[in-house]
């Protein structure tokens, strides 16, 4: 192996042993462009500080989470399921309840009891929460329709101040609904992103992105712990677009909630 030896400069030659060694190391680092910690130069600014992270691009879920209001959780006092109207109301006027609409959207191999609306059976080919296949059979279902933003969580973060028709809209908005394994859904309960995330890590970005989309669409706030958890997940998928769509934020006049 070829060895290259460089003669020390006169200034280095005249220094005491320890100082000469240090000066020689500094000269070598300068030649190679390396920093004393083993990295390459250029990762810091001229003042030695680490360069700031690149801001999240507009239109992404990561950018949107930064726009959510942060407040403390309000008391759960007064919450009840009927404060969000009758369960699975037909707010879109297609003569099918919301639960069946979501089953038709998310299941494969769907069969009906009445030809077009009431889902009798089907398969959740890949449950978003567990990643496993789950069979659906009406009356003995292992599939739930989950509110991605739980209704009681929404109640404690702004919804208790809404008119009833807005709460009905949230409870039946397809943007806030997903067919999921019943066991995993019940483990979630009314938790937010700070207290529960899907065991299926591959779905976490989509899960959190939908929660951000729903909270932004309806003007719900988040706690600081929740925002931190959302941001941590979305930092792993910084280009993921914020989901959009769903129903209007106010149900038709024929619907009401207490």
């Amino acid at each position: 192996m070829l060895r290259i030896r460089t003669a020390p400069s006169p200034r280095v030659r005249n220094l005491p042993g320890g100082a000469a060694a240090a000066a020689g190391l500094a000269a070598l680092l300068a030649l190679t462009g390396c920093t004393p910690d083993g990295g390459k130069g250029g990762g810091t600014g001229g003042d030695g500080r680490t360069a700031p992270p690149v801001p999240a691009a507009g239109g992404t879920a990561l950018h949107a989470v930064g726009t959510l209001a942060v407040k403390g959780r309000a008391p759960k006092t007064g919450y009840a399921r009927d404060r969000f109207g009758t369960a699975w109301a037909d707010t879109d006027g297609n003569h099918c309840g919301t639960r069946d609409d979501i089953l038709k959207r998310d299941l494969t191999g769907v069969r009906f009891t009445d030809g077009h609306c009431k889902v009798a059976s089907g398969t959740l080919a890949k449950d978003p929460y567990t990643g496993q296949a789950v069979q659906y059979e009406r009356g003995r279902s292992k599939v739930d329709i989950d509110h991605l933003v739980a209704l009681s969580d929404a109640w404690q973060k702004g919804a208790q101040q809404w008119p009833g028709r807005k709460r009905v809209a949230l409870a039946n908005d397809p943007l806030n609904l997903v067919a999921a394994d019943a066991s995993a859904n019940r483990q979630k309960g009314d938790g937010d992103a700070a207290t529960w995330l899907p065991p299926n890590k591959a779905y976490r970005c989509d899960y959190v992105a939908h929660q951000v989309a729903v909270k932004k669409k309806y003007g719900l706030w988040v706690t600081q712990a929740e925002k931190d958890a959302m941001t941590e997940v979305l930092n792993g998928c910084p280009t993921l677009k914020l989901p959009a769509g769903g129903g209007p934020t106010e149900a038709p006049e024929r619907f009401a909630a207490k």
Side-chain angles (χ1 to χ4, degrees):
M1 179 175 66
L2 178 65
R3 297 179 181 273
I4 299 175
R5 301 184 63 183
T6 58
S9 70
R11 294 181 60 187
V12 172
R13 192 181 297 121
N14 294 331
L15 291 172
L25 176 61
L28 179 61
L29 293 175
L31 287 171
T32 61
C34 294
T35 57
D37 62 359
K40 284 284 183 181
T44 59
D47 57 3
R49 293 180 297 179
T50 301
V54 177
T60 64
L62 181 58
H63 179 269
V65 75
T67 69
L68 298 178
V70 177
K71 300 182 185 181
R73 183 186 293 272
K76 195 175 178 179
T77 307
Y79 169 74
R81 176 60 180 85
D82 62 7
R83 300 303 299 269
F84 290 81
T86 303
W88 313 128
D90 177 22
T91 54
D92 63 2
N94 70 350
H95 306 294
C96 296
T98 302
R99 175 180 172 80
D100 284 301
D101 284 341
I102 302 304
L103 289 171
K104 287 189 289 184
R105 185 193 71 183
D106 292 355
L107 300 184
T108 60
V110 173
R111 295 184 178 183
F112 301 94
T113 63
D114 62 351
H116 72 283
C117 188
K118 292 184 178 180
V119 177
S121 63
T123 302
L124 187 58
K126 188 173 182 181
D127 165 47
Y129 289 175
T130 66
Q132 304 299 312
V134 184
Q135 298 300 315
Y136 172 80
E137 186 175 352
R138 197 175 194 93
R140 292 181 289 178
S141 177
K142 296 181 180 179
V143 175
D144 282 350
I145 304 303
D146 183 38
H147 291 96
L148 293 157
V149 173
L151 299 185
S152 62
D153 179 68
W155 179 262
Q156 295 172 81
K157 296 172 182 173
Q160 61 182 277
Q161 302 167 11
W162 295 350
R165 285 164 55 197
K166 186 174 181 179
R167 291 197 293 270
V168 173
L170 173 69
N172 294 280
D173 193 331
L175 185 65
N176 191 36
L177 297 169
V178 66
D181 174 77
S183 179
N185 179 44
R186 290 163 199 180
Q187 289 173 13
K188 170 189 173 181
D190 61 358
D192 60 22
T195 59
W196 190 88
L197 290 170
N200 178 20
K201 293 182 180 180
Y203 181 66
R204 288 182 179 178
C205 279
D206 282 337
Y207 175 78
V208 170
H210 274 82
Q211 288 187 327
V212 173
V214 170
K215 294 209 165 186
K216 186 172 180 64
K217 177 178 179 178
Y218 284 86
L220 294 164
W221 68 74
V222 293
T223 64
Q224 186 62 57
E226 181 183 7
K227 183 176 182 178
D228 290 346
M230 287 174 157
T231 302
E232 182 176 357
V233 170
L234 295 174
N235 275 332
C237 42
T239 61
L240 180 64
K241 294 297 184 182
L242 184 71
T249 57
E250 186 174 69
E253 292 184 3
R254 65 182 183 276
F255 294 96
K258 296 180 181 180

